Amino acid sequence: MKETTSTSGSFIKERDLHGSERLGRRHFLKVAGVGTAGIALLGMIGCDKDGDGPDMEGDGLYFGSGDIAILNYAYALEQLEAAFYIEVANKPYGGMSDWEKILFMDIRDHEIAHRELFKAALGNKAIATLEFNLSGVNFSSRESVLATAKTFEDLGVSAYNGAGWLIKNEAYLLLAGKIVSVEARHAALVRDLIDNGTFANDEVIGNNGLDVAMSPTLVLQAAAPFVKSKIDVRDLPTY
């Protein structure tokens, strides 16, 4: 079993001040599998003639190394999800029910909270706020919004599952473990809004009953079309 190191109680207290008691509990597991369907959809809805996504190595925002790089990786994904749901809440698609509005506002607030949790945990080692390209999403279409939400949520869950075993600091692992359970709830909800009963189908749950996991490299490749900012992840742990 991998050895872990503890941090001082100050990090835990700071995290709790941001409302982490609202987050669910779930253990990280390293599981095999790649969400190829999700990657394909991300590529289709994120493609833009103005660019092919960020330069992941070079003169971009440096993620750092080790646990700091993993936290910045998660922070970047939470920034993306927060930006998406803020747009969904600000530009409701035609026919969005009051119930759906409440659900999307709740998810928006969760993603903002996750984003701010990582920003606080990283302190002065946090990357700057990223710029995103959401031009491929038709925010006036329920189908487009839900398809994008489904892909983002599935990608987020598989990203946490794939990176959890790379984290050495147990306090960071605890934080990420609480967040991934909430992301999984989001994924289940969005899937049921699209097609009731598909919240845990074989697209996201393997034959062993475990969630799909993806390496940081594959996740960043899938998310790249949505990221305008240049990022430098040369020292990000991956496999």
Side-chain angles (χ1 to χ4, degrees), residues 169-202:
N169 186 304
E170 63 184 22
Y172 295 157
L173 182 60
L174 176 63
L175 171 64
K178 287 185 173 183
I179 289 177
V180 70
S181 65
V182 179
E183 298 292 350
R185 292 170 190 265
H186 295 169
L189 171 63
V190 170
R191 283 174 158 274
D192 262 14
L193 287 175
I194 296 172
D195 186 6
N196 187 43
T198 63
F199 65 95
N201 65 14
D202 58 10

PDB file of all heavy atoms in Angstrom, residues 169-202:
ATOM      1  N   ASN A 169      -0.522  12.891  -0.476  1.00  0.00           N
ATOM      2  CA  ASN A 169      -0.951  13.555   0.756  1.00  0.00           C
ATOM      3  C   ASN A 169      -2.370  13.131   1.117  1.00  0.00           C
ATOM      4  O   ASN A 169      -3.305  13.333   0.343  1.00  0.00           O
ATOM      5  CB  ASN A 169      -0.868  15.072   0.553  1.00  0.00           C
ATOM      6  CG  ASN A 169      -1.157  15.861   1.813  1.00  0.00           C
ATOM      7  OD1 ASN A 169      -2.205  15.703   2.409  1.00  0.00           O
ATOM      8  ND2 ASN A 169      -0.216  16.694   2.200  1.00  0.00           N
ATOM      9  N   GLU A 170      -2.538  12.554   2.274  1.00  0.00           N
ATOM     10  CA  GLU A 170      -3.842  11.995   2.628  1.00  0.00           C
ATOM     11  C   GLU A 170      -4.919  13.059   2.794  1.00  0.00           C
ATOM     12  O   GLU A 170      -6.106  12.788   2.552  1.00  0.00           O
ATOM     13  CB  GLU A 170      -3.737  11.165   3.912  1.00  0.00           C
ATOM     14  CG  GLU A 170      -3.331  11.932   5.147  1.00  0.00           C
ATOM     15  CD  GLU A 170      -3.148  11.039   6.358  1.00  0.00           C
ATOM     16  OE1 GLU A 170      -2.923   9.833   6.169  1.00  0.00           O
ATOM     17  OE2 GLU A 170      -3.227  11.559   7.483  1.00  0.00           O
ATOM     18  N   ALA A 171      -4.551  14.273   3.181  1.00  0.00           N
ATOM     19  CA  ALA A 171      -5.545  15.336   3.304  1.00  0.00           C
ATOM     20  C   ALA A 171      -6.077  15.734   1.937  1.00  0.00           C
ATOM     21  O   ALA A 171      -7.273  15.986   1.766  1.00  0.00           O
ATOM     22  CB  ALA A 171      -4.942  16.551   4.006  1.00  0.00           C
ATOM     23  N   TYR A 172      -5.194  15.787   0.942  1.00  0.00           N
ATOM     24  CA  TYR A 172      -5.624  16.084  -0.415  1.00  0.00           C
ATOM     25  C   TYR A 172      -6.490  14.955  -0.953  1.00  0.00           C
ATOM     26  O   TYR A 172      -7.474  15.186  -1.653  1.00  0.00           O
ATOM     27  CB  TYR A 172      -4.415  16.269  -1.334  1.00  0.00           C
ATOM     28  CG  TYR A 172      -3.543  17.459  -1.026  1.00  0.00           C
ATOM     29  CD1 TYR A 172      -2.209  17.495  -1.431  1.00  0.00           C
ATOM     30  CD2 TYR A 172      -4.037  18.557  -0.313  1.00  0.00           C
ATOM     31  CE1 TYR A 172      -1.402  18.593  -1.162  1.00  0.00           C
ATOM     32  CE2 TYR A 172      -3.242  19.648  -0.038  1.00  0.00           C
ATOM     33  CZ  TYR A 172      -1.914  19.667  -0.465  1.00  0.00           C
ATOM     34  OH  TYR A 172      -1.115  20.741  -0.193  1.00  0.00           O
ATOM     35  N   LEU A 173      -6.136  13.724  -0.644  1.00  0.00           N
ATOM     36  CA  LEU A 173      -6.906  12.579  -1.100  1.00  0.00           C
ATOM     37  C   LEU A 173      -8.310  12.603  -0.503  1.00  0.00           C
ATOM     38  O   LEU A 173      -9.298  12.305  -1.183  1.00  0.00           O
ATOM     39  CB  LEU A 173      -6.193  11.277  -0.733  1.00  0.00           C
ATOM     40  CG  LEU A 173      -6.876   9.978  -1.187  1.00  0.00           C
ATOM     41  CD1 LEU A 173      -7.006   9.942  -2.707  1.00  0.00           C
ATOM     42  CD2 LEU A 173      -6.105   8.768  -0.694  1.00  0.00           C
ATOM     43  N   LEU A 174      -8.401  12.978   0.773  1.00  0.00           N
ATOM     44  CA  LEU A 174      -9.703  13.077   1.429  1.00  0.00           C
ATOM     45  C   LEU A 174     -10.560  14.134   0.751  1.00  0.00           C
ATOM     46  O   LEU A 174     -11.752  13.917   0.490  1.00  0.00           O
ATOM     47  CB  LEU A 174      -9.509  13.423   2.910  1.00  0.00           C
ATOM     48  CG  LEU A 174     -10.799  13.668   3.717  1.00  0.00           C
ATOM     49  CD1 LEU A 174     -11.651  12.406   3.758  1.00  0.00           C
ATOM     50  CD2 LEU A 174     -10.452  14.127   5.133  1.00  0.00           C
ATOM     51  N   LEU A 175      -9.963  15.278   0.462  1.00  0.00           N
ATOM     52  CA  LEU A 175     -10.685  16.351  -0.222  1.00  0.00           C
ATOM     53  C   LEU A 175     -11.195  15.877  -1.582  1.00  0.00           C
ATOM     54  O   LEU A 175     -12.372  16.048  -1.914  1.00  0.00           O
ATOM     55  CB  LEU A 175      -9.759  17.554  -0.400  1.00  0.00           C
ATOM     56  CG  LEU A 175     -10.267  18.700  -1.279  1.00  0.00           C
ATOM     57  CD1 LEU A 175     -11.503  19.329  -0.665  1.00  0.00           C
ATOM     58  CD2 LEU A 175      -9.176  19.742  -1.465  1.00  0.00           C
ATOM     59  N   ALA A 176     -10.311  15.273  -2.369  1.00  0.00           N
ATOM     60  CA  ALA A 176     -10.698  14.801  -3.691  1.00  0.00           C
ATOM     61  C   ALA A 176     -11.749  13.690  -3.608  1.00  0.00           C
ATOM     62  O   ALA A 176     -12.665  13.629  -4.432  1.00  0.00           O
ATOM     63  CB  ALA A 176      -9.468  14.304  -4.444  1.00  0.00           C
ATOM     64  N   GLY A 177     -11.615  12.818  -2.607  1.00  0.00           N
ATOM     65  CA  GLY A 177     -12.573  11.733  -2.446  1.00  0.00           C
ATOM     66  C   GLY A 177     -13.972  12.233  -2.131  1.00  0.00           C
ATOM     67  O   GLY A 177     -14.970  11.654  -2.582  1.00  0.00           O
ATOM     68  N   LYS A 178     -14.063  13.311  -1.379  1.00  0.00           N
ATOM     69  CA  LYS A 178     -15.377  13.881  -1.080  1.00  0.00           C
ATOM     70  C   LYS A 178     -15.974  14.551  -2.314  1.00  0.00           C
ATOM     71  O   LYS A 178     -17.182  14.479  -2.555  1.00  0.00           O
ATOM     72  CB  LYS A 178     -15.258  14.902   0.054  1.00  0.00           C
ATOM     73  CG  LYS A 178     -15.026  14.279   1.422  1.00  0.00           C
ATOM     74  CD  LYS A 178     -15.050  15.333   2.520  1.00  0.00           C
ATOM     75  CE  LYS A 178     -14.983  14.688   3.891  1.00  0.00           C
ATOM     76  NZ  LYS A 178     -15.078  15.691   4.987  1.00  0.00           N
ATOM     77  N   ILE A 179     -15.126  15.190  -3.100  1.00  0.00           N
ATOM     78  CA  ILE A 179     -15.624  15.881  -4.283  1.00  0.00           C
ATOM     79  C   ILE A 179     -16.080  14.898  -5.356  1.00  0.00           C
ATOM     80  O   ILE A 179     -17.118  15.099  -5.996  1.00  0.00           O
ATOM     81  CB  ILE A 179     -14.550  16.838  -4.833  1.00  0.00           C
ATOM     82  CG1 ILE A 179     -14.382  18.029  -3.881  1.00  0.00           C
ATOM     83  CG2 ILE A 179     -14.926  17.341  -6.227  1.00  0.00           C
ATOM     84  CD1 ILE A 179     -13.290  18.995  -4.279  1.00  0.00           C
ATOM     85  N   VAL A 180     -15.350  13.811  -5.564  1.00  0.00           N
ATOM     86  CA  VAL A 180     -15.718  12.892  -6.638  1.00  0.00           C
ATOM     87  C   VAL A 180     -17.074  12.247  -6.384  1.00  0.00           C
ATOM     88  O   VAL A 180     -17.815  11.945  -7.323  1.00  0.00           O
ATOM     89  CB  VAL A 180     -14.642  11.801  -6.853  1.00  0.00           C
ATOM     90  CG1 VAL A 180     -14.594  10.811  -5.707  1.00  0.00           C
ATOM     91  CG2 VAL A 180     -14.877  11.071  -8.172  1.00  0.00           C
ATOM     92  N   SER A 181     -17.440  12.067  -5.128  1.00  0.00           N
ATOM     93  CA  SER A 181     -18.754  11.480  -4.855  1.00  0.00           C
ATOM     94  C   SER A 181     -19.871  12.417  -5.270  1.00  0.00           C
ATOM     95  O   SER A 181     -20.929  11.986  -5.745  1.00  0.00           O
ATOM     96  CB  SER A 181     -18.879  11.112  -3.375  1.00  0.00           C
ATOM     97  OG  SER A 181     -18.843  12.253  -2.558  1.00  0.00           O
ATOM     98  N   VAL A 182     -19.641  13.723  -5.099  1.00  0.00           N
ATOM     99  CA  VAL A 182     -20.636  14.706  -5.531  1.00  0.00           C
ATOM    100  C   VAL A 182     -20.703  14.751  -7.057  1.00  0.00           C
ATOM    101  O   VAL A 182     -21.788  14.824  -7.642  1.00  0.00           O
ATOM    102  CB  VAL A 182     -20.309  16.100  -4.961  1.00  0.00           C
ATOM    103  CG1 VAL A 182     -21.330  17.122  -5.434  1.00  0.00           C
ATOM    104  CG2 VAL A 182     -20.288  16.063  -3.439  1.00  0.00           C
ATOM    105  N   GLU A 183     -19.526  14.684  -7.707  1.00  0.00           N
ATOM    106  CA  GLU A 183     -19.513  14.659  -9.164  1.00  0.00           C
ATOM    107  C   GLU A 183     -20.276  13.447  -9.697  1.00  0.00           C
ATOM    108  O   GLU A 183     -20.965  13.528 -10.716  1.00  0.00           O
ATOM    109  CB  GLU A 183     -18.068  14.646  -9.683  1.00  0.00           C
ATOM    110  CG  GLU A 183     -17.242  15.863  -9.323  1.00  0.00           C
ATOM    111  CD  GLU A 183     -17.697  17.137 -10.016  1.00  0.00           C
ATOM    112  OE1 GLU A 183     -18.552  17.054 -10.931  1.00  0.00           O
ATOM    113  OE2 GLU A 183     -17.210  18.213  -9.650  1.00  0.00           O
ATOM    114  N   ALA A 184     -20.146  12.324  -9.012  1.00  0.00           N
ATOM    115  CA  ALA A 184     -20.867  11.124  -9.438  1.00  0.00           C
ATOM    116  C   ALA A 184     -22.373  11.301  -9.284  1.00  0.00           C
ATOM    117  O   ALA A 184     -23.154  10.792 -10.105  1.00  0.00           O
ATOM    118  CB  ALA A 184     -20.391   9.911  -8.637  1.00  0.00           C
ATOM    119  N   ARG A 185     -22.790  12.029  -8.251  1.00  0.00           N
ATOM    120  CA  ARG A 185     -24.224  12.324  -8.090  1.00  0.00           C
ATOM    121  C   ARG A 185     -24.714  13.203  -9.238  1.00  0.00           C
ATOM    122  O   ARG A 185     -25.815  13.011  -9.766  1.00  0.00           O
ATOM    123  CB  ARG A 185     -24.478  13.002  -6.741  1.00  0.00           C
ATOM    124  CG  ARG A 185     -24.258  12.101  -5.533  1.00  0.00           C
ATOM    125  CD  ARG A 185     -24.304  12.913  -4.249  1.00  0.00           C
ATOM    126  NE  ARG A 185     -23.864  12.149  -3.103  1.00  0.00           N
ATOM    127  CZ  ARG A 185     -24.659  11.490  -2.256  1.00  0.00           C
ATOM    128  NH1 ARG A 185     -25.957  11.506  -2.458  1.00  0.00           N
ATOM    129  NH2 ARG A 185     -24.166  10.841  -1.232  1.00  0.00           N
ATOM    130  N   HIS A 186     -23.887  14.187  -9.605  1.00  0.00           N
ATOM    131  CA  HIS A 186     -24.244  15.032 -10.742  1.00  0.00           C
ATOM    132  C   HIS A 186     -24.393  14.187 -12.006  1.00  0.00           C
ATOM    133  O   HIS A 186     -25.351  14.356 -12.774  1.00  0.00           O
ATOM    134  CB  HIS A 186     -23.150  16.083 -10.990  1.00  0.00           C
ATOM    135  CG  HIS A 186     -22.989  17.082  -9.895  1.00  0.00           C
ATOM    136  ND1 HIS A 186     -21.919  17.950  -9.848  1.00  0.00           N
ATOM    137  CD2 HIS A 186     -23.755  17.365  -8.816  1.00  0.00           C
ATOM    138  CE1 HIS A 186     -22.030  18.721  -8.782  1.00  0.00           C
ATOM    139  NE2 HIS A 186     -23.121  18.384  -8.136  1.00  0.00           N
ATOM    140  N   ALA A 187     -23.416  13.324 -12.242  1.00  0.00           N
ATOM    141  CA  ALA A 187     -23.426  12.490 -13.443  1.00  0.00           C
ATOM    142  C   ALA A 187     -24.679  11.628 -13.499  1.00  0.00           C
ATOM    143  O   ALA A 187     -25.317  11.494 -14.558  1.00  0.00           O
ATOM    144  CB  ALA A 187     -22.173  11.614 -13.489  1.00  0.00           C
ATOM    145  N   ALA A 188     -25.046  11.053 -12.363  1.00  0.00           N
ATOM    146  CA  ALA A 188     -26.236  10.200 -12.312  1.00  0.00           C
ATOM    147  C   ALA A 188     -27.500  11.008 -12.606  1.00  0.00           C
ATOM    148  O   ALA A 188     -28.386  10.567 -13.352  1.00  0.00           O
ATOM    149  CB  ALA A 188     -26.335   9.529 -10.946  1.00  0.00           C
ATOM    150  N   LEU A 189     -27.581  12.201 -12.026  1.00  0.00           N
ATOM    151  CA  LEU A 189     -28.746  13.053 -12.246  1.00  0.00           C
ATOM    152  C   LEU A 189     -28.884  13.452 -13.708  1.00  0.00           C
ATOM    153  O   LEU A 189     -29.960  13.323 -14.309  1.00  0.00           O
ATOM    154  CB  LEU A 189     -28.638  14.311 -11.377  1.00  0.00           C
ATOM    155  CG  LEU A 189     -29.678  15.400 -11.658  1.00  0.00           C
ATOM    156  CD1 LEU A 189     -31.079  14.900 -11.372  1.00  0.00           C
ATOM    157  CD2 LEU A 189     -29.380  16.653 -10.853  1.00  0.00           C
ATOM    158  N   VAL A 190     -27.784  13.926 -14.301  1.00  0.00           N
ATOM    159  CA  VAL A 190     -27.832  14.362 -15.695  1.00  0.00           C
ATOM    160  C   VAL A 190     -28.206  13.204 -16.605  1.00  0.00           C
ATOM    161  O   VAL A 190     -29.017  13.361 -17.532  1.00  0.00           O
ATOM    162  CB  VAL A 190     -26.482  14.974 -16.115  1.00  0.00           C
ATOM    163  CG1 VAL A 190     -26.435  15.198 -17.620  1.00  0.00           C
ATOM    164  CG2 VAL A 190     -26.232  16.290 -15.374  1.00  0.00           C
ATOM    165  N   ARG A 191     -27.653  12.039 -16.341  1.00  0.00           N
ATOM    166  CA  ARG A 191     -27.975  10.881 -17.171  1.00  0.00           C
ATOM    167  C   ARG A 191     -29.462  10.538 -17.085  1.00  0.00           C
ATOM    168  O   ARG A 191     -30.089  10.183 -18.088  1.00  0.00           O
ATOM    169  CB  ARG A 191     -27.144   9.676 -16.738  1.00  0.00           C
ATOM    170  CG  ARG A 191     -25.703   9.745 -17.225  1.00  0.00           C
ATOM    171  CD  ARG A 191     -24.845   8.615 -16.652  1.00  0.00           C
ATOM    172  NE  ARG A 191     -23.701   8.432 -17.543  1.00  0.00           N
ATOM    173  CZ  ARG A 191     -23.704   7.666 -18.629  1.00  0.00           C
ATOM    174  NH1 ARG A 191     -24.794   6.984 -18.931  1.00  0.00           N
ATOM    175  NH2 ARG A 191     -22.644   7.593 -19.399  1.00  0.00           N
ATOM    176  N   ASP A 192     -30.032  10.654 -15.904  1.00  0.00           N
ATOM    177  CA  ASP A 192     -31.455  10.352 -15.757  1.00  0.00           C
ATOM    178  C   ASP A 192     -32.335  11.423 -16.385  1.00  0.00           C
ATOM    179  O   ASP A 192     -33.453  11.131 -16.821  1.00  0.00           O
ATOM    180  CB  ASP A 192     -31.808  10.165 -14.281  1.00  0.00           C
ATOM    181  CG  ASP A 192     -31.848   8.694 -13.886  1.00  0.00           C
ATOM    182  OD1 ASP A 192     -31.359   7.863 -14.664  1.00  0.00           O
ATOM    183  OD2 ASP A 192     -32.376   8.382 -12.800  1.00  0.00           O
ATOM    184  N   LEU A 193     -31.872  12.659 -16.434  1.00  0.00           N
ATOM    185  CA  LEU A 193     -32.629  13.705 -17.126  1.00  0.00           C
ATOM    186  C   LEU A 193     -32.693  13.402 -18.622  1.00  0.00           C
ATOM    187  O   LEU A 193     -33.683  13.712 -19.292  1.00  0.00           O
ATOM    188  CB  LEU A 193     -31.983  15.076 -16.904  1.00  0.00           C
ATOM    189  CG  LEU A 193     -32.147  15.704 -15.516  1.00  0.00           C
ATOM    190  CD1 LEU A 193     -31.354  17.001 -15.421  1.00  0.00           C
ATOM    191  CD2 LEU A 193     -33.636  15.977 -15.218  1.00  0.00           C
ATOM    192  N   ILE A 194     -31.639  12.799 -19.146  1.00  0.00           N
ATOM    193  CA  ILE A 194     -31.597  12.446 -20.569  1.00  0.00           C
ATOM    194  C   ILE A 194     -32.410  11.191 -20.840  1.00  0.00           C
ATOM    195  O   ILE A 194     -33.232  11.141 -21.754  1.00  0.00           O
ATOM    196  CB  ILE A 194     -30.144  12.234 -21.032  1.00  0.00           C
ATOM    197  CG1 ILE A 194     -29.357  13.545 -20.916  1.00  0.00           C
ATOM    198  CG2 ILE A 194     -30.099  11.718 -22.472  1.00  0.00           C
ATOM    199  CD1 ILE A 194     -27.864  13.380 -21.167  1.00  0.00           C
ATOM    200  N   ASP A 195     -32.189  10.169 -20.031  1.00  0.00           N
ATOM    201  CA  ASP A 195     -32.849   8.878 -20.233  1.00  0.00           C
ATOM    202  C   ASP A 195     -32.958   8.180 -18.883  1.00  0.00           C
ATOM    203  O   ASP A 195     -31.962   7.657 -18.370  1.00  0.00           O
ATOM    204  CB  ASP A 195     -32.041   8.034 -21.229  1.00  0.00           C
ATOM    205  CG  ASP A 195     -32.729   6.725 -21.601  1.00  0.00           C
ATOM    206  OD1 ASP A 195     -33.886   6.515 -21.170  1.00  0.00           O
ATOM    207  OD2 ASP A 195     -32.117   5.923 -22.327  1.00  0.00           O
ATOM    208  N   ASN A 196     -34.128   8.187 -18.320  1.00  0.00           N
ATOM    209  CA  ASN A 196     -34.336   7.644 -16.979  1.00  0.00           C
ATOM    210  C   ASN A 196     -33.860   6.194 -16.873  1.00  0.00           C
ATOM    211  O   ASN A 196     -34.187   5.362 -17.715  1.00  0.00           O
ATOM    212  CB  ASN A 196     -35.820   7.712 -16.607  1.00  0.00           C
ATOM    213  CG  ASN A 196     -36.061   7.330 -15.160  1.00  0.00           C
ATOM    214  OD1 ASN A 196     -35.321   7.748 -14.276  1.00  0.00           O
ATOM    215  ND2 ASN A 196     -37.085   6.535 -14.913  1.00  0.00           N
ATOM    216  N   GLY A 197     -33.048   5.933 -15.847  1.00  0.00           N
ATOM    217  CA  GLY A 197     -32.555   4.587 -15.605  1.00  0.00           C
ATOM    218  C   GLY A 197     -31.164   4.327 -16.126  1.00  0.00           C
ATOM    219  O   GLY A 197     -30.622   3.239 -15.934  1.00  0.00           O
ATOM    220  N   THR A 198     -30.544   5.332 -16.765  1.00  0.00           N
ATOM    221  CA  THR A 198     -29.203   5.142 -17.326  1.00  0.00           C
ATOM    222  C   THR A 198     -28.112   5.685 -16.404  1.00  0.00           C
ATOM    223  O   THR A 198     -26.955   5.808 -16.826  1.00  0.00           O
ATOM    224  CB  THR A 198     -29.073   5.837 -18.698  1.00  0.00           C
ATOM    225  OG1 THR A 198     -29.232   7.254 -18.535  1.00  0.00           O
ATOM    226  CG2 THR A 198     -30.124   5.329 -19.664  1.00  0.00           C
ATOM    227  N   PHE A 199     -28.461   5.989 -15.165  1.00  0.00           N
ATOM    228  CA  PHE A 199     -27.519   6.648 -14.248  1.00  0.00           C
ATOM    229  C   PHE A 199     -26.282   5.811 -13.957  1.00  0.00           C
ATOM    230  O   PHE A 199     -25.232   6.348 -13.593  1.00  0.00           O
ATOM    231  CB  PHE A 199     -28.227   6.986 -12.936  1.00  0.00           C
ATOM    232  CG  PHE A 199     -28.683   5.800 -12.151  1.00  0.00           C
ATOM    233  CD1 PHE A 199     -27.900   5.275 -11.143  1.00  0.00           C
ATOM    234  CD2 PHE A 199     -29.912   5.208 -12.413  1.00  0.00           C
ATOM    235  CE1 PHE A 199     -28.312   4.172 -10.413  1.00  0.00           C
ATOM    236  CE2 PHE A 199     -30.338   4.111 -11.689  1.00  0.00           C
ATOM    237  CZ  PHE A 199     -29.534   3.583 -10.688  1.00  0.00           C
ATOM    238  N   ALA A 200     -26.370   4.506 -14.110  1.00  0.00           N
ATOM    239  CA  ALA A 200     -25.218   3.640 -13.813  1.00  0.00           C
ATOM    240  C   ALA A 200     -25.133   2.516 -14.837  1.00  0.00           C
ATOM    241  O   ALA A 200     -24.992   1.352 -14.479  1.00  0.00           O
ATOM    242  CB  ALA A 200     -25.322   3.080 -12.401  1.00  0.00           C
ATOM    243  N   ASN A 201     -25.186   2.888 -16.111  1.00  0.00           N
ATOM    244  CA  ASN A 201     -25.131   1.846 -17.138  1.00  0.00           C
ATOM    245  C   ASN A 201     -23.697   1.450 -17.442  1.00  0.00           C
ATOM    246  O   ASN A 201     -22.749   1.937 -16.823  1.00  0.00           O
ATOM    247  CB  ASN A 201     -25.885   2.284 -18.408  1.00  0.00           C
ATOM    248  CG  ASN A 201     -25.241   3.465 -19.106  1.00  0.00           C
ATOM    249  OD1 ASN A 201     -24.095   3.823 -18.828  1.00  0.00           O
ATOM    250  ND2 ASN A 201     -25.984   4.079 -20.016  1.00  0.00           N
ATOM    251  N   ASP A 202     -23.526   0.570 -18.429  1.00  0.00           N
ATOM    252  CA  ASP A 202     -22.193   0.016 -18.690  1.00  0.00           C
ATOM    253  C   ASP A 202     -21.246   0.980 -19.398  1.00  0.00           C
ATOM    254  O   ASP A 202     -20.104   0.644 -19.669  1.00  0.00           O
ATOM    255  CB  ASP A 202     -22.289  -1.298 -19.470  1.00  0.00           C
ATOM    256  CG  ASP A 202     -23.008  -1.158 -20.808  1.00  0.00           C
ATOM    257  OD1 ASP A 202     -23.265  -0.009 -21.237  1.00  0.00           O
ATOM    258  OD2 ASP A 202     -23.298  -2.197 -21.424  1.00  0.00           O
TER     259      ASP A 202
END
